Amino acid sequence: QVQLTESGGGLVQPGGSLRLSCAASGRILSSSVTGWFRQAPGADRRFVALIRWNGRGTTYEDSVKGRFTISQDSSKNTVYLEMNNLTPDDTALYFCARGSQYSTATNDYVYWGKGTQVTVSS
């Protein structure tokens, strides 16, 4: 069993930055993958970024490339999502998830956190 806890969300002005954290506890396999997803009101949950637990490989959704960076600190069992140059379109509830597939599909992730809200507004 793996427990995931997101933090770091908040209200930020357009052009601002936030760093989200996803702290994991429980059994963590080196082959696992952590993904960040987001869900805006009335919309489906969508892929944002993912990273292999061994750090070998990252993937980003096109609209966040060059603005968001996913990274991890294995010693802390934590994955981060650094978000820069935020726009109102980035407003959503952000979730981290853990699975074994290198995949952007929500169905391929087994464990999910409860989410952290990001609101970009002036």
Side-chain angles (χ1 to χ4, degrees):
Q1 192 75 7
V2 174
Q3 294 79 41
L4 302 174
T5 304
E6 304 95 336
S7 63
L11 173 64
V12 63
Q13 292 186 343
S17 299
L18 284 173
R19 188 177 79 158
L20 306 184
S21 299
C22 173
S25 61
R27 187 164 179 251
I28 300 170
L29 300 177
S30 61
S31 59
S32 64
V33 174
T34 300
W36 282 98
F37 296 79
R38 63 187 179 184
Q39 187 167 17
D44 294 333
R45 192 170 298 187
R46 297 183 182 274
F47 167 75
V48 175
L50 65 84
I51 187 168
R52 287 190 193 276
W53 188 244
N54 61 16
R56 296 176 184 174
T58 59
T59 297
Y60 296 91
E61 191 269 328
D62 286 346
S63 71
V64 308
K65 285 180 181 177
R67 300 189 299 124
F68 290 12
T69 302
I70 190 170
S71 62
Q72 65 183 30
D73 184 336
S74 300
S75 67
K76 297 181 179 179
N77 290 340
T78 299
V79 173
Y80 303 99
L81 185 69
E82 183 76 32
M83 307 187 296
N84 298 311
N85 195 21
L86 287 161
T87 75
D89 287 343
D90 296 314
T91 295
L93 187 60
Y94 283 70
F95 299 87
C96 67
R98 180 67 60 85
S100 59
Q101 307 267 358
Y102 195 84
S103 169
T104 63
T106 56
N107 289 344
D108 287 328
Y109 289 80
V110 177
Y111 303 103
W112 290 82
K114 294 182 179 180
T116 184
Q117 179 66 38
V118 172
T119 302
V120 184
S121 175
S122 55

